[in-house]
Each structure stands twice: as C-alpha cells, then as structure tokens.
Amino acid sequence: MIAIIDYGAGNLTSVERAVSYLGFDGKITADAHTILSSEKVIFPGVGAAGATMDNLNAHRLADVLKTCYTSGKPMLGICIGIQILFDYSEEGDTECLGILPGIVDKFEATPQLKVPQIGWNEVHQTDSHPIFQGVPNPAHFYFVNSYYPIPAQPAVVIGKTTYGVDFCSVVARQNLIATQFHLEKSGRVGLRMLDNFLQCK
Amino acid sequence: MLTKRIIPCLDVRAGKVTKGVAFKGNVDVGDPVEMARFYYENGVDELVFYDITASNEKRNIMIDVVSAVAAEIFIPFSVGGGLRELEDMRRVLLAGAEKVSIDSGAVRNPQLIKQGAKAFGSQCVVLSMQVKRVPENDEIPSGFEIFIDGGRRSTGLDAIQWAQRGVELGAGEIVVNSIDQDGTKAGYDLELTGAIAALAPVPVIASGGAGKPKHLRDVFVESNADAAIVASITHYGEFTIENIKQYLDSEGVAVRNTW
C-alpha cells in the first residue's frame, strides 16, 4: 500500500487517481500507524507552506515523516512536498521539516515574469538517477509555484528548471525524491516518473 | 523556459460534445472522454470543458464526464459553465478537474472568486470574461465591455477594470474571450488581449477567433498571451496540435514538444 499523506492540502485525489491508473494501491491518510506500515509514502499537494506545516504538526505527522526517512522507506514529495523538506520557507516565515538543509525563496515578479509560474516548463536532468529512467532530457512538466527550493548541498539536486532564475526542480537523497512540478498532471512523462518511483525497491 | 499553452475547448451539452466532428481514426466525436483522450495523446497542454447544458437536472451528467476524464487524462483541465456557488466549484474539483472557470456567476457574485480562492487556492480559480467592443464612454473607458449569459446580456462593466478586480479578489488566471472575434476565424482580438496581459500579474488566456496557426503566434508574440484556446481549428481536423506546435517552434515561440 502506498500512503498518500493527507495534510489538508489540495490535489490529493489526482495523485491517488494516477497511482491507481498505474496499478498500485494508494490510500489517502493522516493516520500515523497507516503511514508507518505502508510500503512507500507520497506527500503531494498544493497549498501554503505555513498551513501545510501547521497541519502536519497538528496531526503529529512531522515526526512520522522524519521517521519514514530515517527508516529508509521510499518517499516522494510533490510541489509543496519538496518545499517542506527544507529548513525554512520564506512563505509565511515558516520553519519546515529540516530533512534537507536549505531554504525556500519566492520568485521575483516582473512584467515579463508572472508569479505564480503556471504551465509547462523544461526539467534538465543534472545527474543520472533511476527516477529518470525512460524520461527524455530535457522534458516538459507542469508547474504551479510561487516559491522554489534552494538546497544548501548541491549534491541533492538532480533536476533544474529556469524561471527568471535557474532553480532546483528535482532533489534526491537516499530513499527520498521530490519534485517541484506535478508529476500527476504532466502527461506520460510525469506518469513514467511516478511509475519509476512506484516500481523502485 | 515556460512554454505557451494550447488549450482546446470542448462544449458539452448533456454529456455530449456539441461541435466535435472530423477527427481521423475511430474517435466517437460526440464523446467528451474520447475527444479528451485523442487530444491528450496528441500533445495538447491542457483542456477546458464548458458545460452548456440548459437544465439543472442534467448537470450531474457533467460530473460523470469530469470523473471519467480525470481517470485517464493526466494533464490539467478546467471546467466551466453554470458554476454559481462554492459548492458547484467543489463538486467539479473533487471529481478531478484541476481548475474551475467562472464567468457570469462571478459577475453576479464577485465574492465567488474570493470564496473559491480561499477554499481551493487561486491556482484553481479561472476568471473567464466575455468581452465586446462598444463605443468608449464614462462607464466603459476602454471601449471593452463585459457581457454575460452567453454574450447576450450587457453589464456596464469595463473589461480592464473587471480583470483588475478579478485578480484582486483572487483569480489565478484570466480567459479573455472576444465576442466580436468568436467564430470568425479571423484571429484573436490582439488589442484586447494585449491590454489585459499588460496589466494582469496572472496568466492571460486568449479566446475567440483562431483560424490558423499564425493567429496563435500573433497573440503569443504581439499580445503576450500565456495560452490560447482553440476549437474549430483543431476539432475539425484542419490542423493538428502537432502542426501548430511545429509552426510556433519555427517562429521562435517556446512550446511543449516532449510528451
């Protein structure tokens, strides 16, 4: 069973639909025991960093996610799910999980650069990783974001995208993978990456 | 680089597409799910479904359509038509739409935009505007007026001011549909689209008038639109999404060409 963490953020059902389309059993849950006993964990969603962390803390899930990480359980973060991994987010001056060192900053809006970024942008694979198996380099993915992660350790960055600045759009460390874009809304290449995660041992 | 989006619009009445015609292959052109799948497989960036069902009793059929599309189409799509309350928006989003498109309902009750943005996030709320050119006057200083109810009823609202108000209330994207250009195949209203795109801090989607690929290039390059809605130009098989993207690419417009 794949636990899809429910922390009050939107867009959970589309992740569940994609998981089910690929032939896996996804379960939307905020229950610590269910999450700890799952094979894999996905933490998806759209929403604000502050509200997301408040929800995780209220359900005592911040520690559960950290335990999942240290125990080696395969984990996939999507959109807000990549941002909360870091120490801190500028969005609402929010202390995040601190699983990865680094911060989350906001795009600077200009007349040419609308914020949030909404649409399809290129992801350039900067390192080889099994999550990219069968995915063209570069390939387009669907983004909806005003904020972007700045990892303190360049080694965790495996994908980059340009929107005014070059930013980190995919990170990986040990059993953890996270994407700033929506895999579940990115057509066949997105499903391919999601399938790579679901198939991994 | 962020790419320009091409968004086919499917008008759906009581669960059937009203304009679908000449796709090649074995596509049931009346079936919104089949048409959506066809477009999805051919590299379309996003879809919009507009429910033009007249009676309220048949609106549940649209929810079934949304669920069926969401089960197999993994790109964003929005749903509009007849959304008047927060609950209408919630049902469509829970059925699997990425966004809701509100139009006359937002003019009648602007708080609907705010409520939707608060409940679901601005990125879910698309403000769609039906705009017609009128003589400039004190009420309509830009000469672009908002119409509602399928373009039949004038409102006395200036389109530029309404777009600004919509963004302030929380709209995450704006669809600018030109009533004058709609169905003409003579091109988008470049002046109107450009005026809204210049002031809106959110993406602007041009609609109405696409007849050939050059029209998309013009609205992207000259009016700085972020996306363009198409209907008959691709529904009837005259151009494919791939044709249009190849042309745009050759004109230096960034498009999504991997799928």
Side-chain angles (χ1 to χ4, degrees), chain A residues 1-2 22 24 38-42 72-76 129-133 172-177 191-201:
Chain A
M1 182 266 294
I2 313 295
L22 292 169
F24 290 82
S38 68
E39 293 160 52
K40 289 173 186 169
V41 169
I42 302 178
K73 196 189 290 288
M75 299 173 77
L76 173 66
H129 192 281
I131 196 75
F132 291 134
Q133 197 186 350
R173 193 169 81 177
Q174 295 164 1
N175 47 312
L176 174 69
I177 292 155
L191 290 182
R192 180 64 198 249
M193 272 184 77
L194 182 58
D195 195 44
N196 287 342
F197 170 75
L198 294 169
Q199 303 278 1
C200 78
K201 295 286 188 294

PDB file of all heavy atoms in Angstrom, chain A residues 1-2 22 24 38-42 72-76 129-133 172-177 191-201:
ATOM      1  N   MET A   1       0.843  -1.206   0.000  1.00  0.00           N
ATOM      2  CA  MET A   1       0.000   0.000   0.000  1.00  0.00           C
ATOM      3  C   MET A   1       0.884   1.264   0.000  1.00  0.00           C
ATOM      4  O   MET A   1       1.905   1.327   0.670  1.00  0.00           O
ATOM      5  CB  MET A   1      -0.903  -0.046   1.241  1.00  0.00           C
ATOM      6  CG  MET A   1      -1.857   1.111   1.360  1.00  0.00           C
ATOM      7  SD  MET A   1      -1.168   2.434   2.366  1.00  0.00           S
ATOM      8  CE  MET A   1      -1.069   1.675   3.979  1.00  0.00           C
ATOM      9  N   ILE A   2       0.469   2.226  -0.812  1.00  0.00           N
ATOM     10  CA  ILE A   2       1.194   3.493  -0.905  1.00  0.00           C
ATOM     11  C   ILE A   2       0.414   4.526  -0.090  1.00  0.00           C
ATOM     12  O   ILE A   2      -0.735   4.827  -0.404  1.00  0.00           O
ATOM     13  CB  ILE A   2       1.271   3.987  -2.373  1.00  0.00           C
ATOM     14  CG1 ILE A   2       1.696   2.862  -3.340  1.00  0.00           C
ATOM     15  CG2 ILE A   2       2.159   5.221  -2.480  1.00  0.00           C
ATOM     16  CD1 ILE A   2       3.071   2.332  -3.131  1.00  0.00           C
ATOM     17  N   LEU A  22      -1.822   3.493 -12.573  1.00  0.00           N
ATOM     18  CA  LEU A  22      -0.590   2.728 -12.788  1.00  0.00           C
ATOM     19  C   LEU A  22      -0.649   1.346 -12.126  1.00  0.00           C
ATOM     20  O   LEU A  22       0.318   0.591 -12.177  1.00  0.00           O
ATOM     21  CB  LEU A  22       0.616   3.519 -12.257  1.00  0.00           C
ATOM     22  CG  LEU A  22       0.923   4.792 -13.065  1.00  0.00           C
ATOM     23  CD1 LEU A  22       1.945   5.675 -12.341  1.00  0.00           C
ATOM     24  CD2 LEU A  22       1.444   4.445 -14.464  1.00  0.00           C
ATOM     25  N   PHE A  24      -1.392   0.559  -8.794  1.00  0.00           N
ATOM     26  CA  PHE A  24      -0.978   0.433  -7.397  1.00  0.00           C
ATOM     27  C   PHE A  24      -2.108   0.866  -6.460  1.00  0.00           C
ATOM     28  O   PHE A  24      -3.026   1.565  -6.872  1.00  0.00           O
ATOM     29  CB  PHE A  24       0.281   1.271  -7.139  1.00  0.00           C
ATOM     30  CG  PHE A  24       1.502   0.715  -7.804  1.00  0.00           C
ATOM     31  CD1 PHE A  24       1.749   0.970  -9.157  1.00  0.00           C
ATOM     32  CD2 PHE A  24       2.382  -0.095  -7.111  1.00  0.00           C
ATOM     33  CE1 PHE A  24       2.859   0.443  -9.786  1.00  0.00           C
ATOM     34  CE2 PHE A  24       3.500  -0.621  -7.736  1.00  0.00           C
ATOM     35  CZ  PHE A  24       3.734  -0.358  -9.074  1.00  0.00           C
ATOM     36  N   SER A  38       3.096   1.532   5.748  1.00  0.00           N
ATOM     37  CA  SER A  38       2.973   1.498   4.277  1.00  0.00           C
ATOM     38  C   SER A  38       4.306   1.093   3.648  1.00  0.00           C
ATOM     39  O   SER A  38       5.352   1.152   4.286  1.00  0.00           O
ATOM     40  CB  SER A  38       2.565   2.874   3.765  1.00  0.00           C
ATOM     41  OG  SER A  38       3.622   3.796   3.963  1.00  0.00           O
ATOM     42  N   GLU A  39       4.235   0.687   2.356  1.00  0.00           N
ATOM     43  CA  GLU A  39       5.470   0.356   1.628  1.00  0.00           C
ATOM     44  C   GLU A  39       6.212   1.614   1.227  1.00  0.00           C
ATOM     45  O   GLU A  39       7.436   1.677   1.226  1.00  0.00           O
ATOM     46  CB  GLU A  39       5.142  -0.399   0.339  1.00  0.00           C
ATOM     47  CG  GLU A  39       4.566  -1.776   0.510  1.00  0.00           C
ATOM     48  CD  GLU A  39       3.844  -2.192  -0.772  1.00  0.00           C
ATOM     49  OE1 GLU A  39       4.461  -2.112  -1.853  1.00  0.00           O
ATOM     50  OE2 GLU A  39       2.665  -2.564  -0.684  1.00  0.00           O
ATOM     51  N   LYS A  40       5.423   2.604   0.789  1.00  0.00           N
ATOM     52  CA  LYS A  40       6.002   3.857   0.291  1.00  0.00           C
ATOM     53  C   LYS A  40       5.110   5.008   0.678  1.00  0.00           C
ATOM     54  O   LYS A  40       3.919   4.812   0.933  1.00  0.00           O
ATOM     55  CB  LYS A  40       6.108   3.814  -1.242  1.00  0.00           C
ATOM     56  CG  LYS A  40       7.173   2.861  -1.723  1.00  0.00           C
ATOM     57  CD  LYS A  40       7.174   2.676  -3.208  1.00  0.00           C
ATOM     58  CE  LYS A  40       8.191   1.580  -3.530  1.00  0.00           C
ATOM     59  NZ  LYS A  40       8.125   1.123  -4.894  1.00  0.00           N
ATOM     60  N   VAL A  41       5.696   6.194   0.674  1.00  0.00           N
ATOM     61  CA  VAL A  41       4.946   7.382   1.085  1.00  0.00           C
ATOM     62  C   VAL A  41       5.036   8.454   0.001  1.00  0.00           C
ATOM     63  O   VAL A  41       6.121   8.716  -0.532  1.00  0.00           O
ATOM     64  CB  VAL A  41       5.518   7.937   2.410  1.00  0.00           C
ATOM     65  CG1 VAL A  41       4.938   9.316   2.717  1.00  0.00           C
ATOM     66  CG2 VAL A  41       5.251   6.978   3.554  1.00  0.00           C
ATOM     67  N   ILE A  42       3.875   9.047  -0.325  1.00  0.00           N
ATOM     68  CA  ILE A  42       3.850  10.215  -1.222  1.00  0.00           C
ATOM     69  C   ILE A  42       3.270  11.378  -0.426  1.00  0.00           C
ATOM     70  O   ILE A  42       2.224  11.228   0.203  1.00  0.00           O
ATOM     71  CB  ILE A  42       3.000   9.950  -2.486  1.00  0.00           C
ATOM     72  CG1 ILE A  42       3.536   8.743  -3.257  1.00  0.00           C
ATOM     73  CG2 ILE A  42       2.975  11.198  -3.381  1.00  0.00           C
ATOM     74  CD1 ILE A  42       2.732   8.382  -4.501  1.00  0.00           C
ATOM     75  N   GLY A  72      14.379   4.505   5.961  1.00  0.00           N
ATOM     76  CA  GLY A  72      14.698   4.038   4.610  1.00  0.00           C
ATOM     77  C   GLY A  72      13.500   3.770   3.726  1.00  0.00           C
ATOM     78  O   GLY A  72      13.632   3.225   2.619  1.00  0.00           O
ATOM     79  N   LYS A  73      12.318   4.162   4.174  1.00  0.00           N
ATOM     80  CA  LYS A  73      11.107   3.950   3.356  1.00  0.00           C
ATOM     81  C   LYS A  73      11.155   4.865   2.134  1.00  0.00           C
ATOM     82  O   LYS A  73      11.449   6.045   2.264  1.00  0.00           O
ATOM     83  CB  LYS A  73       9.885   4.288   4.222  1.00  0.00           C
ATOM     84  CG  LYS A  73       8.566   3.760   3.663  1.00  0.00           C
ATOM     85  CD  LYS A  73       7.375   4.305   4.438  1.00  0.00           C
ATOM     86  CE  LYS A  73       7.241   3.771   5.847  1.00  0.00           C
ATOM     87  NZ  LYS A  73       6.811   2.357   5.864  1.00  0.00           N
ATOM     88  N   PRO A  74      10.876   4.346   0.920  1.00  0.00           N
ATOM     89  CA  PRO A  74      10.873   5.220  -0.268  1.00  0.00           C
ATOM     90  C   PRO A  74       9.815   6.324  -0.129  1.00  0.00           C
ATOM     91  O   PRO A  74       8.665   6.047   0.207  1.00  0.00           O
ATOM     92  CB  PRO A  74      10.523   4.265  -1.417  1.00  0.00           C
ATOM     93  CG  PRO A  74      10.920   2.915  -0.928  1.00  0.00           C
ATOM     94  CD  PRO A  74      10.662   2.936   0.563  1.00  0.00           C
ATOM     95  N   MET A  75      10.249   7.560  -0.367  1.00  0.00           N
ATOM     96  CA  MET A  75       9.364   8.714  -0.189  1.00  0.00           C
ATOM     97  C   MET A  75       9.423   9.618  -1.406  1.00  0.00           C
ATOM     98  O   MET A  75      10.479   9.832  -1.984  1.00  0.00           O
ATOM     99  CB  MET A  75       9.818   9.535   1.025  1.00  0.00           C
ATOM    100  CG  MET A  75       9.774   8.762   2.320  1.00  0.00           C
ATOM    101  SD  MET A  75      10.506   9.729   3.646  1.00  0.00           S
ATOM    102  CE  MET A  75       9.190  10.878   4.012  1.00  0.00           C
ATOM    103  N   LEU A  76       8.262  10.144  -1.776  1.00  0.00           N
ATOM    104  CA  LEU A  76       8.163  11.058  -2.921  1.00  0.00           C
ATOM    105  C   LEU A  76       7.379  12.299  -2.502  1.00  0.00           C
ATOM    106  O   LEU A  76       6.211  12.205  -2.114  1.00  0.00           O
ATOM    107  CB  LEU A  76       7.445  10.356  -4.089  1.00  0.00           C
ATOM    108  CG  LEU A  76       7.103  11.213  -5.309  1.00  0.00           C
ATOM    109  CD1 LEU A  76       8.360  11.697  -6.033  1.00  0.00           C
ATOM    110  CD2 LEU A  76       6.215  10.427  -6.284  1.00  0.00           C
ATOM    111  N   HIS A 129      19.725   9.257 -12.423  1.00  0.00           N
ATOM    112  CA  HIS A 129      19.013   8.710 -11.277  1.00  0.00           C
ATOM    113  C   HIS A 129      17.945   7.763 -11.827  1.00  0.00           C
ATOM    114  O   HIS A 129      17.353   8.048 -12.871  1.00  0.00           O
ATOM    115  CB  HIS A 129      18.371   9.839 -10.466  1.00  0.00           C
ATOM    116  CG  HIS A 129      17.858   9.393  -9.124  1.00  0.00           C
ATOM    117  ND1 HIS A 129      16.670   8.723  -8.981  1.00  0.00           N
ATOM    118  CD2 HIS A 129      18.387   9.520  -7.879  1.00  0.00           C
ATOM    119  CE1 HIS A 129      16.489   8.450  -7.690  1.00  0.00           C
ATOM    120  NE2 HIS A 129      17.519   8.914  -7.004  1.00  0.00           N
ATOM    121  N   PRO A 130      17.668   6.656 -11.127  1.00  0.00           N
ATOM    122  CA  PRO A 130      16.649   5.716 -11.643  1.00  0.00           C
ATOM    123  C   PRO A 130      15.271   6.354 -11.851  1.00  0.00           C
ATOM    124  O   PRO A 130      14.501   5.884 -12.687  1.00  0.00           O
ATOM    125  CB  PRO A 130      16.575   4.650 -10.539  1.00  0.00           C
ATOM    126  CG  PRO A 130      17.844   4.758  -9.768  1.00  0.00           C
ATOM    127  CD  PRO A 130      18.348   6.154  -9.924  1.00  0.00           C
ATOM    128  N   ILE A 131      14.976   7.450 -11.152  1.00  0.00           N
ATOM    129  CA  ILE A 131      13.662   8.091 -11.296  1.00  0.00           C
ATOM    130  C   ILE A 131      13.489   8.643 -12.715  1.00  0.00           C
ATOM    131  O   ILE A 131      12.367   8.824 -13.194  1.00  0.00           O
ATOM    132  CB  ILE A 131      13.475   9.212 -10.236  1.00  0.00           C
ATOM    133  CG1 ILE A 131      11.996   9.636 -10.100  1.00  0.00           C
ATOM    134  CG2 ILE A 131      14.315  10.434 -10.547  1.00  0.00           C
ATOM    135  CD1 ILE A 131      11.125   8.684  -9.372  1.00  0.00           C
ATOM    136  N   PHE A 132      14.614   8.901 -13.411  1.00  0.00           N
ATOM    137  CA  PHE A 132      14.563   9.468 -14.762  1.00  0.00           C
ATOM    138  C   PHE A 132      14.568   8.400 -15.864  1.00  0.00           C
ATOM    139  O   PHE A 132      14.609   8.751 -17.043  1.00  0.00           O
ATOM    140  CB  PHE A 132      15.749  10.412 -14.993  1.00  0.00           C
ATOM    141  CG  PHE A 132      15.700  11.697 -14.201  1.00  0.00           C
ATOM    142  CD1 PHE A 132      16.817  12.154 -13.531  1.00  0.00           C
ATOM    143  CD2 PHE A 132      14.535  12.461 -14.170  1.00  0.00           C
ATOM    144  CE1 PHE A 132      16.785  13.349 -12.823  1.00  0.00           C
ATOM    145  CE2 PHE A 132      14.490  13.668 -13.462  1.00  0.00           C
ATOM    146  CZ  PHE A 132      15.621  14.107 -12.789  1.00  0.00           C
ATOM    147  N   GLN A 133      14.548   7.150 -15.486  1.00  0.00           N
ATOM    148  CA  GLN A 133      14.625   6.088 -16.498  1.00  0.00           C
ATOM    149  C   GLN A 133      13.482   6.236 -17.514  1.00  0.00           C
ATOM    150  O   GLN A 133      12.308   6.289 -17.140  1.00  0.00           O
ATOM    151  CB  GLN A 133      14.536   4.729 -15.815  1.00  0.00           C
ATOM    152  CG  GLN A 133      15.014   3.632 -16.725  1.00  0.00           C
ATOM    153  CD  GLN A 133      14.795   2.247 -16.125  1.00  0.00           C
ATOM    154  OE1 GLN A 133      14.443   2.111 -14.955  1.00  0.00           O
ATOM    155  NE2 GLN A 133      14.980   1.236 -16.928  1.00  0.00           N
ATOM    156  N   ALA A 172      17.080  14.505  -4.804  1.00  0.00           N
ATOM    157  CA  ALA A 172      17.103  13.104  -4.388  1.00  0.00           C
ATOM    158  C   ALA A 172      18.184  12.933  -3.333  1.00  0.00           C
ATOM    159  O   ALA A 172      19.283  13.496  -3.466  1.00  0.00           O
ATOM    160  CB  ALA A 172      17.391  12.195  -5.575  1.00  0.00           C
ATOM    161  N   ARG A 173      17.874  12.234  -2.254  1.00  0.00           N
ATOM    162  CA  ARG A 173      18.902  11.815  -1.310  1.00  0.00           C
ATOM    163  C   ARG A 173      18.453  10.511  -0.684  1.00  0.00           C
ATOM    164  O   ARG A 173      17.365  10.433  -0.105  1.00  0.00           O
ATOM    165  CB  ARG A 173      19.160  12.870  -0.231  1.00  0.00           C
ATOM    166  CG  ARG A 173      20.449  12.541   0.535  1.00  0.00           C
ATOM    167  CD  ARG A 173      20.900  13.666   1.433  1.00  0.00           C
ATOM    168  NE  ARG A 173      20.159  13.651   2.675  1.00  0.00           N
ATOM    169  CZ  ARG A 173      20.390  14.491   3.685  1.00  0.00           C
ATOM    170  NH1 ARG A 173      21.299  15.433   3.562  1.00  0.00           N
ATOM    171  NH2 ARG A 173      19.683  14.417   4.778  1.00  0.00           N
ATOM    172  N   GLN A 174      19.284   9.504  -0.841  1.00  0.00           N
ATOM    173  CA  GLN A 174      18.980   8.159  -0.333  1.00  0.00           C
ATOM    174  C   GLN A 174      17.591   7.703  -0.780  1.00  0.00           C
ATOM    175  O   GLN A 174      17.317   7.636  -1.964  1.00  0.00           O
ATOM    176  CB  GLN A 174      19.162   8.129   1.183  1.00  0.00           C
ATOM    177  CG  GLN A 174      20.619   8.354   1.544  1.00  0.00           C
ATOM    178  CD  GLN A 174      20.828   8.724   2.998  1.00  0.00           C
ATOM    179  OE1 GLN A 174      19.886   8.809   3.766  1.00  0.00           O
ATOM    180  NE2 GLN A 174      22.050   8.949   3.379  1.00  0.00           N
ATOM    181  N   ASN A 175      16.688   7.456   0.166  1.00  0.00           N
ATOM    182  CA  ASN A 175      15.360   6.922  -0.161  1.00  0.00           C
ATOM    183  C   ASN A 175      14.346   8.009  -0.510  1.00  0.00           C
ATOM    184  O   ASN A 175      13.171   7.736  -0.701  1.00  0.00           O
ATOM    185  CB  ASN A 175      14.825   6.110   1.026  1.00  0.00           C
ATOM    186  CG  ASN A 175      14.976   6.838   2.351  1.00  0.00           C
ATOM    187  OD1 ASN A 175      16.048   7.364   2.646  1.00  0.00           O
ATOM    188  ND2 ASN A 175      13.919   6.883   3.125  1.00  0.00           N
ATOM    189  N   LEU A 176      14.817   9.240  -0.609  1.00  0.00           N
ATOM    190  CA  LEU A 176      13.911  10.380  -0.782  1.00  0.00           C
ATOM    191  C   LEU A 176      14.062  11.014  -2.166  1.00  0.00           C
ATOM    192  O   LEU A 176      15.173  11.269  -2.630  1.00  0.00           O
ATOM    193  CB  LEU A 176      14.258  11.428   0.284  1.00  0.00           C
ATOM    194  CG  LEU A 176      13.536  12.762   0.217  1.00  0.00           C
ATOM    195  CD1 LEU A 176      12.065  12.590   0.553  1.00  0.00           C
ATOM    196  CD2 LEU A 176      14.196  13.747   1.177  1.00  0.00           C
ATOM    197  N   ILE A 177      12.897  11.274  -2.806  1.00  0.00           N
ATOM    198  CA  ILE A 177      12.863  12.007  -4.079  1.00  0.00           C
ATOM    199  C   ILE A 177      11.772  13.050  -3.953  1.00  0.00           C
ATOM    200  O   ILE A 177      10.727  12.789  -3.344  1.00  0.00           O
ATOM    201  CB  ILE A 177      12.546  11.056  -5.248  1.00  0.00           C
ATOM    202  CG1 ILE A 177      13.712  10.085  -5.482  1.00  0.00           C
ATOM    203  CG2 ILE A 177      12.259  11.825  -6.531  1.00  0.00           C
ATOM    204  CD1 ILE A 177      13.274   8.822  -6.138  1.00  0.00           C
ATOM    205  N   LEU A 191       3.780  10.447 -15.636  1.00  0.00           N
ATOM    206  CA  LEU A 191       3.378   9.100 -15.187  1.00  0.00           C
ATOM    207  C   LEU A 191       4.577   8.157 -15.178  1.00  0.00           C
ATOM    208  O   LEU A 191       4.685   7.292 -14.314  1.00  0.00           O
ATOM    209  CB  LEU A 191       2.285   8.533 -16.102  1.00  0.00           C
ATOM    210  CG  LEU A 191       0.905   9.192 -16.019  1.00  0.00           C
ATOM    211  CD1 LEU A 191      -0.061   8.485 -16.955  1.00  0.00           C
ATOM    212  CD2 LEU A 191       0.363   9.191 -14.596  1.00  0.00           C
ATOM    213  N   ARG A 192       5.473   8.364 -16.140  1.00  0.00           N
ATOM    214  CA  ARG A 192       6.657   7.498 -16.216  1.00  0.00           C
ATOM    215  C   ARG A 192       7.520   7.680 -14.954  1.00  0.00           C
ATOM    216  O   ARG A 192       7.967   6.700 -14.343  1.00  0.00           O
ATOM    217  CB  ARG A 192       7.468   7.826 -17.482  1.00  0.00           C
ATOM    218  CG  ARG A 192       8.719   6.979 -17.642  1.00  0.00           C
ATOM    219  CD  ARG A 192       8.352   5.509 -17.826  1.00  0.00           C
ATOM    220  NE  ARG A 192       9.476   4.641 -17.562  1.00  0.00           N
ATOM    221  CZ  ARG A 192      10.109   3.941 -18.509  1.00  0.00           C
ATOM    222  NH1 ARG A 192       9.706   3.998 -19.760  1.00  0.00           N
ATOM    223  NH2 ARG A 192      11.115   3.163 -18.198  1.00  0.00           N
ATOM    224  N   MET A 193       7.706   8.909 -14.549  1.00  0.00           N
ATOM    225  CA  MET A 193       8.494   9.159 -13.331  1.00  0.00           C
ATOM    226  C   MET A 193       7.796   8.604 -12.096  1.00  0.00           C
ATOM    227  O   MET A 193       8.431   8.019 -11.224  1.00  0.00           O
ATOM    228  CB  MET A 193       8.736  10.668 -13.137  1.00  0.00           C
ATOM    229  CG  MET A 193       9.975  11.168 -13.855  1.00  0.00           C
ATOM    230  SD  MET A 193      10.305  12.918 -13.530  1.00  0.00           S
ATOM    231  CE  MET A 193      11.019  12.860 -11.893  1.00  0.00           C
ATOM    232  N   LEU A 194       6.465   8.785 -12.057  1.00  0.00           N
ATOM    233  CA  LEU A 194       5.710   8.260 -10.917  1.00  0.00           C
ATOM    234  C   LEU A 194       5.815   6.735 -10.887  1.00  0.00           C
ATOM    235  O   LEU A 194       6.023   6.129  -9.822  1.00  0.00           O
ATOM    236  CB  LEU A 194       4.244   8.702 -11.026  1.00  0.00           C
ATOM    237  CG  LEU A 194       3.317   8.279  -9.891  1.00  0.00           C
ATOM    238  CD1 LEU A 194       3.806   8.791  -8.549  1.00  0.00           C
ATOM    239  CD2 LEU A 194       1.883   8.782 -10.150  1.00  0.00           C
ATOM    240  N   ASP A 195       5.733   6.118 -12.072  1.00  0.00           N
ATOM    241  CA  ASP A 195       5.842   4.662 -12.159  1.00  0.00           C
ATOM    242  C   ASP A 195       7.241   4.205 -11.722  1.00  0.00           C
ATOM    243  O   ASP A 195       7.373   3.196 -11.021  1.00  0.00           O
ATOM    244  CB  ASP A 195       5.535   4.215 -13.592  1.00  0.00           C
ATOM    245  CG  ASP A 195       5.267   2.719 -13.673  1.00  0.00           C
ATOM    246  OD1 ASP A 195       4.528   2.212 -12.808  1.00  0.00           O
ATOM    247  OD2 ASP A 195       5.797   2.057 -14.576  1.00  0.00           O
ATOM    248  N   ASN A 196       8.266   4.955 -12.122  1.00  0.00           N
ATOM    249  CA  ASN A 196       9.629   4.616 -11.692  1.00  0.00           C
ATOM    250  C   ASN A 196       9.727   4.596 -10.167  1.00  0.00           C
ATOM    251  O   ASN A 196      10.380   3.725  -9.588  1.00  0.00           O
ATOM    252  CB  ASN A 196      10.645   5.615 -12.255  1.00  0.00           C
ATOM    253  CG  ASN A 196      10.867   5.433 -13.749  1.00  0.00           C
ATOM    254  OD1 ASN A 196      10.543   4.379 -14.324  1.00  0.00           O
ATOM    255  ND2 ASN A 196      11.386   6.460 -14.398  1.00  0.00           N
ATOM    256  N   PHE A 197       9.058   5.562  -9.527  1.00  0.00           N
ATOM    257  CA  PHE A 197       9.061   5.594  -8.054  1.00  0.00           C
ATOM    258  C   PHE A 197       8.289   4.394  -7.491  1.00  0.00           C
ATOM    259  O   PHE A 197       8.761   3.708  -6.573  1.00  0.00           O
ATOM    260  CB  PHE A 197       8.438   6.900  -7.549  1.00  0.00           C
ATOM    261  CG  PHE A 197       8.196   6.901  -6.064  1.00  0.00           C
ATOM    262  CD1 PHE A 197       9.244   7.040  -5.164  1.00  0.00           C
ATOM    263  CD2 PHE A 197       6.912   6.730  -5.557  1.00  0.00           C
ATOM    264  CE1 PHE A 197       9.025   7.011  -3.796  1.00  0.00           C
ATOM    265  CE2 PHE A 197       6.681   6.700  -4.183  1.00  0.00           C
ATOM    266  CZ  PHE A 197       7.741   6.833  -3.303  1.00  0.00           C
ATOM    267  N   LEU A 198       7.110   4.140  -8.068  1.00  0.00           N
ATOM    268  CA  LEU A 198       6.263   3.061  -7.534  1.00  0.00           C
ATOM    269  C   LEU A 198       6.917   1.687  -7.718  1.00  0.00           C
ATOM    270  O   LEU A 198       6.722   0.782  -6.908  1.00  0.00           O
ATOM    271  CB  LEU A 198       4.882   3.094  -8.209  1.00  0.00           C
ATOM    272  CG  LEU A 198       4.044   4.349  -7.897  1.00  0.00           C
ATOM    273  CD1 LEU A 198       2.822   4.430  -8.812  1.00  0.00           C
ATOM    274  CD2 LEU A 198       3.611   4.365  -6.432  1.00  0.00           C
ATOM    275  N   GLN A 199       7.701   1.547  -8.803  1.00  0.00           N
ATOM    276  CA  GLN A 199       8.344   0.257  -9.085  1.00  0.00           C
ATOM    277  C   GLN A 199       9.627   0.053  -8.273  1.00  0.00           C
ATOM    278  O   GLN A 199      10.107  -1.080  -8.186  1.00  0.00           O
ATOM    279  CB  GLN A 199       8.739   0.156 -10.571  1.00  0.00           C
ATOM    280  CG  GLN A 199       7.606   0.325 -11.569  1.00  0.00           C
ATOM    281  CD  GLN A 199       6.800  -0.938 -11.780  1.00  0.00           C
ATOM    282  OE1 GLN A 199       7.076  -1.962 -11.168  1.00  0.00           O
ATOM    283  NE2 GLN A 199       5.797  -0.863 -12.639  1.00  0.00           N
ATOM    284  N   CYS A 200      10.209   1.145  -7.737  1.00  0.00           N
ATOM    285  CA  CYS A 200      11.536   1.006  -7.133  1.00  0.00           C
ATOM    286  C   CYS A 200      11.468   0.113  -5.890  1.00  0.00           C
ATOM    287  O   CYS A 200      10.463   0.080  -5.196  1.00  0.00           O
ATOM    288  CB  CYS A 200      12.136   2.375  -6.809  1.00  0.00           C
ATOM    289  SG  CYS A 200      11.475   3.151  -5.328  1.00  0.00           S
ATOM    290  N   LYS A 201      12.574  -0.552  -5.635  1.00  0.00           N
ATOM    291  CA  LYS A 201      12.617  -1.475  -4.489  1.00  0.00           C
ATOM    292  C   LYS A 201      13.053  -0.707  -3.247  1.00  0.00           C
ATOM    293  O   LYS A 201      13.916   0.133  -3.310  1.00  0.00           O
ATOM    294  CB  LYS A 201      13.600  -2.615  -4.768  1.00  0.00           C
ATOM    295  CG  LYS A 201      13.169  -3.516  -5.910  1.00  0.00           C
ATOM    296  CD  LYS A 201      12.005  -4.429  -5.499  1.00  0.00           C
ATOM    297  CE  LYS A 201      11.670  -5.473  -6.556  1.00  0.00           C
ATOM    298  NZ  LYS A 201      11.152  -4.961  -7.795  1.00  0.00           N
TER     299      LYS A 201
END
